[in-house]
Amino acid sequence: MPDEAQSGIELFVHCAPRSDVKAKVIALYYRQSGAVHYNSLSMEPAKKGWHMAVIPADKVTGKVLQYYV
């Protein structure tokens, strides 16, 4: 993920799991600054073993976005 993103624009998140990780589902959890609960998105397989999810534009607001995979 980039260090900074423009507010109000979809944010594409990519993840490359280690080759020894045999997960059936990879999920991205994220929350906006000040939020108590995390939102979740399933990460879809992409080319070359990457997984991808898109955080909706209306969720990309404020100065901080916390996330984990």
Short mmCIF file of all heavy atoms in Angstrom, two decimals:
data_model
loop_
_atom_site.label_atom_id
_atom_site.label_comp_id
_atom_site.label_asym_id
_atom_site.label_seq_id
_atom_site.Cartn_x
_atom_site.Cartn_y
_atom_site.Cartn_z
N MET A 1 0.85 -1.18 0.00
CA MET A 1 0.00 0.00 0.00
C MET A 1 0.89 1.24 0.00
O MET A 1 1.95 1.23 0.59
CB MET A 1 -0.89 0.02 1.24
CG MET A 1 -2.06 -0.93 1.16
SD MET A 1 -3.23 -0.83 2.53
CE MET A 1 -3.86 0.80 2.41
N PRO A 2 0.42 2.29 -0.62
CA PRO A 2 1.20 3.53 -0.61
C PRO A 2 1.20 4.15 0.78
O PRO A 2 0.35 3.86 1.61
CB PRO A 2 0.44 4.42 -1.60
CG PRO A 2 -0.94 3.87 -1.61
CD PRO A 2 -0.82 2.40 -1.35
N ASP A 3 2.19 5.00 1.04
CA ASP A 3 2.26 5.71 2.32
C ASP A 3 1.13 6.72 2.45
O ASP A 3 0.66 6.99 3.55
CB ASP A 3 3.59 6.45 2.47
CG ASP A 3 4.75 5.49 2.65
OD1 ASP A 3 4.53 4.36 3.11
OD2 ASP A 3 5.88 5.88 2.33
N GLU A 4 0.71 7.28 1.34
CA GLU A 4 -0.37 8.25 1.33
C GLU A 4 -1.32 7.93 0.18
O GLU A 4 -0.90 7.43 -0.86
CB GLU A 4 0.18 9.67 1.15
CG GLU A 4 1.02 10.13 2.32
CD GLU A 4 1.49 11.57 2.15
OE1 GLU A 4 0.94 12.30 1.31
OE2 GLU A 4 2.41 11.95 2.88
N ALA A 5 -2.59 8.24 0.39
CA ALA A 5 -3.59 8.03 -0.65
C ALA A 5 -4.53 9.23 -0.66
O ALA A 5 -4.75 9.86 0.38
CB ALA A 5 -4.38 6.76 -0.39
N GLN A 6 -5.06 9.54 -1.81
CA GLN A 6 -5.98 10.65 -1.93
C GLN A 6 -7.33 10.25 -1.35
O GLN A 6 -7.87 9.19 -1.66
CB GLN A 6 -6.12 11.07 -3.38
CG GLN A 6 -6.93 12.33 -3.55
CD GLN A 6 -6.90 12.82 -4.99
OE1 GLN A 6 -6.17 12.30 -5.83
NE2 GLN A 6 -7.70 13.81 -5.27
N SER A 7 -7.90 11.10 -0.54
CA SER A 7 -9.20 10.86 0.07
C SER A 7 -10.28 10.79 -1.00
O SER A 7 -10.25 11.53 -1.99
CB SER A 7 -9.50 11.99 1.06
OG SER A 7 -10.70 11.75 1.74
N GLY A 8 -11.24 9.87 -0.83
CA GLY A 8 -12.37 9.77 -1.73
C GLY A 8 -12.11 9.01 -3.01
O GLY A 8 -12.92 9.05 -3.93
N ILE A 9 -10.99 8.29 -3.10
CA ILE A 9 -10.68 7.49 -4.28
C ILE A 9 -10.43 6.05 -3.83
O ILE A 9 -9.79 5.81 -2.80
CB ILE A 9 -9.44 8.05 -5.02
CG1 ILE A 9 -9.77 9.43 -5.58
CG2 ILE A 9 -8.98 7.11 -6.12
CD1 ILE A 9 -8.64 10.08 -6.33
N GLU A 10 -10.94 5.07 -4.59
CA GLU A 10 -10.74 3.66 -4.25
C GLU A 10 -9.26 3.38 -3.99
O GLU A 10 -8.38 3.92 -4.66
CB GLU A 10 -11.20 2.75 -5.39
CG GLU A 10 -12.68 2.75 -5.61
CD GLU A 10 -13.06 1.85 -6.77
OE1 GLU A 10 -12.27 1.71 -7.74
OE2 GLU A 10 -14.16 1.30 -6.72
N LEU A 11 -9.01 2.51 -3.02
CA LEU A 11 -7.64 2.15 -2.68
C LEU A 11 -7.44 0.66 -2.96
O LEU A 11 -8.09 -0.18 -2.34
CB LEU A 11 -7.37 2.47 -1.21
CG LEU A 11 -5.97 2.22 -0.70
CD1 LEU A 11 -4.95 3.04 -1.49
CD2 LEU A 11 -5.89 2.57 0.78
N PHE A 12 -6.57 0.35 -3.91
CA PHE A 12 -6.27 -1.03 -4.28
C PHE A 12 -5.17 -1.56 -3.36
O PHE A 12 -4.13 -0.93 -3.21
CB PHE A 12 -5.81 -1.11 -5.74
CG PHE A 12 -6.92 -0.84 -6.71
CD1 PHE A 12 -7.34 0.45 -6.98
CD2 PHE A 12 -7.55 -1.89 -7.36
CE1 PHE A 12 -8.38 0.70 -7.87
CE2 PHE A 12 -8.59 -1.65 -8.25
CZ PHE A 12 -9.00 -0.35 -8.50
N VAL A 13 -5.43 -2.70 -2.74
CA VAL A 13 -4.48 -3.31 -1.81
C VAL A 13 -4.06 -4.66 -2.37
O VAL A 13 -4.90 -5.48 -2.74
CB VAL A 13 -5.13 -3.50 -0.42
CG1 VAL A 13 -4.14 -4.12 0.55
CG2 VAL A 13 -5.65 -2.17 0.12
N HIS A 14 -2.75 -4.88 -2.43
CA HIS A 14 -2.21 -6.14 -2.93
C HIS A 14 -1.45 -6.84 -1.82
O HIS A 14 -0.81 -6.19 -1.00
CB HIS A 14 -1.26 -5.89 -4.11
CG HIS A 14 -1.94 -5.28 -5.27
ND1 HIS A 14 -2.11 -3.93 -5.42
CD2 HIS A 14 -2.51 -5.86 -6.35
CE1 HIS A 14 -2.75 -3.70 -6.55
NE2 HIS A 14 -3.01 -4.85 -7.13
N CYS A 15 -1.49 -8.16 -1.82
CA CYS A 15 -0.82 -8.96 -0.82
C CYS A 15 -0.20 -10.17 -1.51
O CYS A 15 -0.85 -10.81 -2.33
CB CYS A 15 -1.82 -9.42 0.24
SG CYS A 15 -1.15 -10.60 1.43
N ALA A 16 1.04 -10.48 -1.17
CA ALA A 16 1.71 -11.66 -1.72
C ALA A 16 2.05 -12.57 -0.55
O ALA A 16 3.04 -12.35 0.15
CB ALA A 16 2.97 -11.27 -2.48
N PRO A 17 1.22 -13.58 -0.30
CA PRO A 17 1.51 -14.49 0.81
C PRO A 17 2.76 -15.33 0.53
O PRO A 17 3.10 -15.57 -0.63
CB PRO A 17 0.27 -15.37 0.90
CG PRO A 17 -0.37 -15.27 -0.43
CD PRO A 17 0.01 -13.94 -1.00
N ARG A 18 3.43 -15.71 1.58
CA ARG A 18 4.60 -16.58 1.44
C ARG A 18 4.18 -17.88 0.76
O ARG A 18 3.03 -18.31 0.89
CB ARG A 18 5.21 -16.89 2.81
CG ARG A 18 5.77 -15.70 3.50
CD ARG A 18 6.46 -16.07 4.79
NE ARG A 18 5.97 -17.31 5.40
CZ ARG A 18 5.81 -17.49 6.69
NH1 ARG A 18 6.07 -16.52 7.53
NH2 ARG A 18 5.37 -18.64 7.15
N SER A 19 5.08 -18.51 0.09
CA SER A 19 4.76 -19.73 -0.66
C SER A 19 4.33 -20.88 0.25
O SER A 19 3.61 -21.77 -0.19
CB SER A 19 5.96 -20.16 -1.51
OG SER A 19 7.07 -20.43 -0.68
N ASP A 20 4.73 -20.86 1.52
CA ASP A 20 4.33 -21.94 2.43
C ASP A 20 2.96 -21.70 3.08
O ASP A 20 2.47 -22.54 3.80
CB ASP A 20 5.40 -22.17 3.50
CG ASP A 20 5.63 -20.96 4.39
OD1 ASP A 20 5.42 -19.82 3.92
OD2 ASP A 20 6.02 -21.15 5.56
N VAL A 21 2.34 -20.57 2.82
CA VAL A 21 1.01 -20.27 3.35
C VAL A 21 -0.02 -20.91 2.42
O VAL A 21 -0.08 -20.59 1.24
CB VAL A 21 0.76 -18.75 3.47
CG1 VAL A 21 -0.67 -18.46 3.85
CG2 VAL A 21 1.73 -18.13 4.46
N LYS A 22 -0.81 -21.80 2.96
CA LYS A 22 -1.81 -22.52 2.15
C LYS A 22 -3.22 -22.11 2.55
O LYS A 22 -4.09 -22.93 2.73
CB LYS A 22 -1.63 -24.03 2.33
CG LYS A 22 -0.24 -24.54 1.99
CD LYS A 22 0.10 -24.30 0.54
CE LYS A 22 1.48 -24.88 0.23
NZ LYS A 22 2.09 -24.31 -0.92
N ALA A 23 -3.45 -20.83 2.70
CA ALA A 23 -4.75 -20.31 3.13
C ALA A 23 -5.80 -20.51 2.03
O ALA A 23 -5.51 -20.33 0.85
CB ALA A 23 -4.64 -18.83 3.47
N LYS A 24 -7.00 -20.87 2.44
CA LYS A 24 -8.11 -21.00 1.49
C LYS A 24 -8.74 -19.64 1.23
O LYS A 24 -9.29 -19.38 0.17
CB LYS A 24 -9.15 -21.97 2.02
CG LYS A 24 -8.63 -23.39 2.06
CD LYS A 24 -9.68 -24.34 2.55
CE LYS A 24 -9.09 -25.74 2.62
NZ LYS A 24 -10.04 -26.74 3.02
N VAL A 25 -8.69 -18.76 2.24
CA VAL A 25 -9.24 -17.41 2.13
C VAL A 25 -8.24 -16.44 2.74
O VAL A 25 -7.68 -16.70 3.79
CB VAL A 25 -10.59 -17.29 2.90
CG1 VAL A 25 -11.10 -15.87 2.86
CG2 VAL A 25 -11.62 -18.25 2.32
N ILE A 26 -8.03 -15.32 2.05
CA ILE A 26 -7.21 -14.24 2.59
C ILE A 26 -8.11 -13.03 2.69
O ILE A 26 -8.80 -12.68 1.73
CB ILE A 26 -5.98 -13.96 1.71
CG1 ILE A 26 -5.09 -15.20 1.67
CG2 ILE A 26 -5.22 -12.75 2.22
CD1 ILE A 26 -3.87 -15.06 0.80
N ALA A 27 -8.14 -12.41 3.86
CA ALA A 27 -9.05 -11.29 4.10
C ALA A 27 -8.27 -10.04 4.50
O ALA A 27 -7.25 -10.12 5.19
CB ALA A 27 -10.05 -11.63 5.18
N LEU A 28 -8.76 -8.91 4.05
CA LEU A 28 -8.23 -7.60 4.43
C LEU A 28 -9.20 -6.99 5.42
O LEU A 28 -10.40 -6.93 5.17
CB LEU A 28 -8.12 -6.69 3.20
CG LEU A 28 -7.82 -5.22 3.47
CD1 LEU A 28 -6.40 -5.05 3.98
CD2 LEU A 28 -8.04 -4.39 2.22
N TYR A 29 -8.70 -6.56 6.56
CA TYR A 29 -9.50 -5.87 7.57
C TYR A 29 -9.02 -4.43 7.63
O TYR A 29 -7.81 -4.19 7.67
CB TYR A 29 -9.34 -6.54 8.93
CG TYR A 29 -9.90 -7.93 8.96
CD1 TYR A 29 -9.13 -9.03 8.58
CD2 TYR A 29 -11.22 -8.16 9.34
CE1 TYR A 29 -9.65 -10.31 8.59
CE2 TYR A 29 -11.74 -9.45 9.36
CZ TYR A 29 -10.95 -10.51 8.98
OH TYR A 29 -11.47 -11.78 8.98
N TYR A 30 -9.94 -3.48 7.63
CA TYR A 30 -9.55 -2.07 7.65
C TYR A 30 -10.57 -1.27 8.44
O TYR A 30 -11.72 -1.67 8.60
CB TYR A 30 -9.42 -1.52 6.22
CG TYR A 30 -10.73 -1.44 5.49
CD1 TYR A 30 -11.47 -0.26 5.50
CD2 TYR A 30 -11.27 -2.54 4.83
CE1 TYR A 30 -12.71 -0.19 4.86
CE2 TYR A 30 -12.49 -2.47 4.19
CZ TYR A 30 -13.20 -1.29 4.21
OH TYR A 30 -14.41 -1.22 3.59
N ARG A 31 -10.13 -0.14 8.96
CA ARG A 31 -11.05 0.80 9.64
C ARG A 31 -10.52 2.21 9.49
O ARG A 31 -9.32 2.45 9.39
CB ARG A 31 -11.24 0.43 11.10
CG ARG A 31 -10.02 0.62 11.97
CD ARG A 31 -10.33 0.24 13.39
NE ARG A 31 -9.13 0.39 14.22
CZ ARG A 31 -9.05 0.00 15.47
NH1 ARG A 31 -10.09 -0.57 16.05
NH2 ARG A 31 -7.95 0.16 16.15
N GLN A 32 -11.46 3.12 9.47
CA GLN A 32 -11.14 4.54 9.39
C GLN A 32 -10.71 5.04 10.76
O GLN A 32 -11.01 4.43 11.79
CB GLN A 32 -12.36 5.32 8.90
CG GLN A 32 -12.79 4.92 7.51
CD GLN A 32 -14.21 5.34 7.23
OE1 GLN A 32 -15.13 4.80 7.81
NE2 GLN A 32 -14.38 6.29 6.33
N SER A 33 -10.04 6.15 10.79
CA SER A 33 -9.61 6.76 12.04
C SER A 33 -10.79 6.98 12.97
O SER A 33 -11.84 7.48 12.57
CB SER A 33 -8.93 8.11 11.74
OG SER A 33 -8.49 8.71 12.92
N GLY A 34 -10.66 6.54 14.21
CA GLY A 34 -11.71 6.73 15.21
C GLY A 34 -12.74 5.62 15.24
O GLY A 34 -13.55 5.56 16.16
N ALA A 35 -12.75 4.74 14.26
CA ALA A 35 -13.73 3.63 14.23
C ALA A 35 -13.32 2.56 15.23
O ALA A 35 -12.14 2.32 15.48
CB ALA A 35 -13.81 3.04 12.83
N VAL A 36 -14.32 1.91 15.81
CA VAL A 36 -14.06 0.85 16.77
C VAL A 36 -13.90 -0.50 16.08
O VAL A 36 -13.01 -1.28 16.40
CB VAL A 36 -15.21 0.77 17.81
CG1 VAL A 36 -15.01 -0.39 18.76
CG2 VAL A 36 -15.33 2.08 18.57
N HIS A 37 -14.75 -0.78 15.10
CA HIS A 37 -14.77 -2.07 14.44
C HIS A 37 -14.11 -2.01 13.07
O HIS A 37 -14.16 -0.99 12.39
CB HIS A 37 -16.21 -2.57 14.29
CG HIS A 37 -16.90 -2.75 15.61
ND1 HIS A 37 -16.63 -3.80 16.45
CD2 HIS A 37 -17.82 -1.98 16.23
CE1 HIS A 37 -17.36 -3.67 17.54
NE2 HIS A 37 -18.09 -2.58 17.43
N TYR A 38 -13.53 -3.14 12.68
CA TYR A 38 -12.93 -3.27 11.36
C TYR A 38 -13.96 -3.76 10.35
O TYR A 38 -14.82 -4.56 10.67
CB TYR A 38 -11.78 -4.28 11.40
CG TYR A 38 -10.50 -3.74 12.00
CD1 TYR A 38 -10.27 -3.78 13.37
CD2 TYR A 38 -9.52 -3.19 11.19
CE1 TYR A 38 -9.10 -3.30 13.91
CE2 TYR A 38 -8.33 -2.70 11.72
CZ TYR A 38 -8.14 -2.76 13.08
OH TYR A 38 -6.98 -2.27 13.61
N ASN A 39 -13.85 -3.28 9.11
CA ASN A 39 -14.59 -3.81 7.97
C ASN A 39 -13.72 -4.91 7.37
O ASN A 39 -12.50 -4.90 7.54
CB ASN A 39 -14.81 -2.73 6.91
CG ASN A 39 -15.64 -1.59 7.43
OD1 ASN A 39 -16.79 -1.76 7.79
ND2 ASN A 39 -15.06 -0.39 7.48
N SER A 40 -14.32 -5.85 6.66
CA SER A 40 -13.52 -6.90 6.04
C SER A 40 -13.86 -7.06 4.56
O SER A 40 -14.99 -6.82 4.14
CB SER A 40 -13.70 -8.23 6.77
OG SER A 40 -15.03 -8.68 6.62
N LEU A 41 -12.85 -7.46 3.81
CA LEU A 41 -13.00 -7.76 2.38
C LEU A 41 -12.24 -9.04 2.08
O LEU A 41 -11.11 -9.23 2.59
CB LEU A 41 -12.39 -6.64 1.52
CG LEU A 41 -13.03 -5.26 1.58
CD1 LEU A 41 -12.13 -4.24 0.89
CD2 LEU A 41 -14.39 -5.30 0.92
N SER A 42 -12.81 -9.91 1.28
CA SER A 42 -12.06 -11.07 0.80
C SER A 42 -11.11 -10.60 -0.27
O SER A 42 -11.48 -9.82 -1.15
CB SER A 42 -13.01 -12.11 0.21
OG SER A 42 -13.79 -12.69 1.22
N MET A 43 -9.89 -11.09 -0.20
CA MET A 43 -8.90 -10.74 -1.21
C MET A 43 -8.97 -11.79 -2.32
O MET A 43 -8.93 -12.99 -2.05
CB MET A 43 -7.51 -10.65 -0.60
CG MET A 43 -7.43 -9.56 0.47
SD MET A 43 -5.76 -9.21 0.99
CE MET A 43 -5.25 -8.12 -0.36
N GLU A 44 -9.11 -11.33 -3.54
CA GLU A 44 -9.25 -12.22 -4.70
C GLU A 44 -7.88 -12.54 -5.30
O GLU A 44 -7.03 -11.66 -5.39
CB GLU A 44 -10.13 -11.55 -5.75
CG GLU A 44 -11.53 -11.22 -5.26
CD GLU A 44 -12.33 -12.46 -4.88
OE1 GLU A 44 -12.15 -13.51 -5.53
OE2 GLU A 44 -13.12 -12.38 -3.93
N PRO A 45 -7.68 -13.78 -5.72
CA PRO A 45 -6.41 -14.14 -6.37
C PRO A 45 -6.23 -13.34 -7.66
O PRO A 45 -7.17 -13.09 -8.40
CB PRO A 45 -6.56 -15.62 -6.70
CG PRO A 45 -7.70 -16.11 -5.88
CD PRO A 45 -8.57 -14.93 -5.61
N ALA A 46 -5.00 -12.93 -7.88
CA ALA A 46 -4.65 -12.20 -9.10
C ALA A 46 -3.45 -12.89 -9.75
O ALA A 46 -3.03 -13.95 -9.29
CB ALA A 46 -4.33 -10.74 -8.76
N LYS A 47 -2.92 -12.30 -10.77
CA LYS A 47 -1.78 -12.88 -11.48
C LYS A 47 -0.57 -13.04 -10.56
O LYS A 47 -0.38 -12.28 -9.63
CB LYS A 47 -1.40 -11.99 -12.66
CG LYS A 47 -2.46 -11.91 -13.72
CD LYS A 47 -2.02 -10.99 -14.84
CE LYS A 47 -3.13 -10.87 -15.87
NZ LYS A 47 -2.79 -9.91 -16.92
N LYS A 48 0.24 -14.02 -10.86
CA LYS A 48 1.53 -14.25 -10.22
C LYS A 48 1.45 -14.49 -8.72
O LYS A 48 2.36 -14.16 -7.98
CB LYS A 48 2.48 -13.10 -10.51
CG LYS A 48 2.76 -12.91 -11.99
CD LYS A 48 3.72 -11.80 -12.25
CE LYS A 48 3.92 -11.62 -13.75
NZ LYS A 48 4.83 -10.53 -14.06
N GLY A 49 0.32 -15.02 -8.25
CA GLY A 49 0.21 -15.38 -6.84
C GLY A 49 -0.20 -14.27 -5.90
O GLY A 49 -0.31 -14.48 -4.70
N TRP A 50 -0.40 -13.07 -6.41
CA TRP A 50 -0.86 -11.96 -5.59
C TRP A 50 -2.33 -12.13 -5.26
O TRP A 50 -3.06 -12.82 -5.97
CB TRP A 50 -0.70 -10.63 -6.34
CG TRP A 50 0.72 -10.19 -6.48
CD1 TRP A 50 1.59 -10.58 -7.45
CD2 TRP A 50 1.42 -9.28 -5.67
NE1 TRP A 50 2.79 -9.97 -7.29
CE2 TRP A 50 2.72 -9.15 -6.19
CE3 TRP A 50 1.08 -8.55 -4.54
CZ2 TRP A 50 3.69 -8.34 -5.62
CZ3 TRP A 50 2.04 -7.73 -3.98
CH2 TRP A 50 3.32 -7.63 -4.52
N HIS A 51 -2.79 -11.44 -4.21
CA HIS A 51 -4.21 -11.33 -3.90
C HIS A 51 -4.54 -9.85 -3.84
O HIS A 51 -3.67 -9.03 -3.51
CB HIS A 51 -4.53 -12.01 -2.57
CG HIS A 51 -4.53 -13.50 -2.67
ND1 HIS A 51 -3.39 -14.24 -2.82
CD2 HIS A 51 -5.56 -14.38 -2.69
CE1 HIS A 51 -3.70 -15.52 -2.91
NE2 HIS A 51 -5.01 -15.63 -2.82
N MET A 52 -5.77 -9.48 -4.17
CA MET A 52 -6.13 -8.07 -4.27
C MET A 52 -7.50 -7.81 -3.67
O MET A 52 -8.40 -8.65 -3.74
CB MET A 52 -6.13 -7.64 -5.73
CG MET A 52 -6.41 -6.17 -5.91
SD MET A 52 -6.66 -5.72 -7.63
CE MET A 52 -8.30 -6.33 -7.90
N ALA A 53 -7.65 -6.64 -3.07
CA ALA A 53 -8.94 -6.14 -2.60
C ALA A 53 -8.97 -4.64 -2.87
O ALA A 53 -7.93 -4.00 -3.00
CB ALA A 53 -9.13 -6.42 -1.12
N VAL A 54 -10.18 -4.09 -2.94
CA VAL A 54 -10.34 -2.66 -3.19
C VAL A 54 -11.16 -2.05 -2.05
O VAL A 54 -12.31 -2.45 -1.83
CB VAL A 54 -11.05 -2.39 -4.54
CG1 VAL A 54 -11.20 -0.90 -4.78
CG2 VAL A 54 -10.31 -3.05 -5.68
N ILE A 55 -10.56 -1.11 -1.34
CA ILE A 55 -11.30 -0.38 -0.30
C ILE A 55 -12.13 0.68 -1.01
O ILE A 55 -11.58 1.48 -1.77
CB ILE A 55 -10.34 0.24 0.74
CG1 ILE A 55 -9.52 -0.87 1.41
CG2 ILE A 55 -11.11 1.05 1.77
CD1 ILE A 55 -8.44 -0.37 2.36
N PRO A 56 -13.45 0.70 -0.78
CA PRO A 56 -14.32 1.65 -1.48
C PRO A 56 -13.93 3.11 -1.20
O PRO A 56 -13.47 3.44 -0.10
CB PRO A 56 -15.71 1.36 -0.92
CG PRO A 56 -15.63 0.01 -0.31
CD PRO A 56 -14.21 -0.17 0.13
N ALA A 57 -14.15 3.95 -2.18
CA ALA A 57 -13.79 5.36 -2.08
C ALA A 57 -14.41 6.05 -0.87
O ALA A 57 -13.76 6.88 -0.23
CB ALA A 57 -14.19 6.09 -3.37
N ASP A 58 -15.66 5.70 -0.53
CA ASP A 58 -16.32 6.38 0.58
C ASP A 58 -15.73 5.98 1.94
O ASP A 58 -16.03 6.59 2.95
CB ASP A 58 -17.83 6.14 0.56
CG ASP A 58 -18.22 4.70 0.77
OD1 ASP A 58 -17.45 3.79 0.39
OD2 ASP A 58 -19.31 4.47 1.30
N LYS A 59 -14.87 4.97 1.97
CA LYS A 59 -14.21 4.54 3.20
C LYS A 59 -12.79 5.09 3.31
O LYS A 59 -12.13 4.95 4.33
CB LYS A 59 -14.15 3.01 3.29
CG LYS A 59 -15.51 2.35 3.23
CD LYS A 59 -16.31 2.65 4.46
CE LYS A 59 -17.63 1.88 4.42
NZ LYS A 59 -18.50 2.19 5.51
N VAL A 60 -12.31 5.71 2.23
CA VAL A 60 -10.97 6.29 2.22
C VAL A 60 -11.11 7.77 2.54
O VAL A 60 -11.19 8.62 1.66
CB VAL A 60 -10.27 6.08 0.85
CG1 VAL A 60 -8.85 6.63 0.88
CG2 VAL A 60 -10.26 4.61 0.48
N THR A 61 -11.18 8.05 3.84
CA THR A 61 -11.36 9.43 4.32
C THR A 61 -10.47 9.65 5.54
O THR A 61 -9.98 8.70 6.14
CB THR A 61 -12.82 9.70 4.72
OG1 THR A 61 -13.18 8.82 5.77
CG2 THR A 61 -13.76 9.50 3.54
N GLY A 62 -10.32 10.89 5.93
CA GLY A 62 -9.54 11.21 7.12
C GLY A 62 -8.05 11.10 6.87
O GLY A 62 -7.59 11.01 5.75
N LYS A 63 -7.30 11.11 7.96
CA LYS A 63 -5.84 11.10 7.85
C LYS A 63 -5.23 9.73 8.09
O LYS A 63 -4.09 9.50 7.75
CB LYS A 63 -5.25 12.10 8.85
CG LYS A 63 -5.68 13.53 8.57
CD LYS A 63 -4.63 14.48 9.03
CE LYS A 63 -5.05 15.88 8.68
NZ LYS A 63 -4.23 16.44 7.65
N VAL A 64 -6.00 8.81 8.70
CA VAL A 64 -5.45 7.50 9.05
C VAL A 64 -6.42 6.39 8.62
O VAL A 64 -7.62 6.51 8.79
CB VAL A 64 -5.21 7.40 10.57
CG1 VAL A 64 -4.72 6.01 10.95
CG2 VAL A 64 -4.22 8.45 11.04
N LEU A 65 -5.84 5.34 8.06
CA LEU A 65 -6.60 4.14 7.73
C LEU A 65 -5.78 2.97 8.27
O LEU A 65 -4.65 2.75 7.86
CB LEU A 65 -6.79 4.01 6.22
CG LEU A 65 -7.57 2.80 5.74
CD1 LEU A 65 -9.05 2.96 6.09
CD2 LEU A 65 -7.40 2.60 4.25
N GLN A 66 -6.34 2.26 9.23
CA GLN A 66 -5.64 1.12 9.82
C GLN A 66 -6.08 -0.14 9.09
O GLN A 66 -7.24 -0.28 8.71
CB GLN A 66 -5.98 0.99 11.30
CG GLN A 66 -5.51 2.19 12.10
CD GLN A 66 -5.96 2.12 13.54
OE1 GLN A 66 -7.04 1.67 13.83
NE2 GLN A 66 -5.10 2.56 14.44
N TYR A 67 -5.13 -1.08 8.90
CA TYR A 67 -5.47 -2.31 8.19
C TYR A 67 -4.56 -3.45 8.60
O TYR A 67 -3.48 -3.24 9.16
CB TYR A 67 -5.36 -2.11 6.67
CG TYR A 67 -3.94 -1.93 6.21
CD1 TYR A 67 -3.21 -3.03 5.77
CD2 TYR A 67 -3.32 -0.70 6.24
CE1 TYR A 67 -1.90 -2.89 5.36
CE2 TYR A 67 -2.01 -0.54 5.84
CZ TYR A 67 -1.31 -1.63 5.41
OH TYR A 67 0.00 -1.48 5.01
N TYR A 68 -5.03 -4.65 8.37
CA TYR A 68 -4.20 -5.86 8.50
C TYR A 68 -4.78 -6.93 7.61
O TYR A 68 -5.94 -6.87 7.21
CB TYR A 68 -4.05 -6.31 9.95
CG TYR A 68 -5.32 -6.82 10.61
CD1 TYR A 68 -5.61 -8.19 10.63
CD2 TYR A 68 -6.21 -5.95 11.23
CE1 TYR A 68 -6.76 -8.66 11.25
CE2 TYR A 68 -7.35 -6.41 11.86
CZ TYR A 68 -7.62 -7.78 11.86
OH TYR A 68 -8.75 -8.24 12.47
N VAL A 69 -3.96 -7.93 7.27
CA VAL A 69 -4.38 -9.03 6.39
C VAL A 69 -4.33 -10.32 7.18
O VAL A 69 -3.43 -10.56 7.95
CB VAL A 69 -3.46 -9.13 5.16
CG1 VAL A 69 -3.81 -10.33 4.30
CG2 VAL A 69 -3.52 -7.86 4.35
#
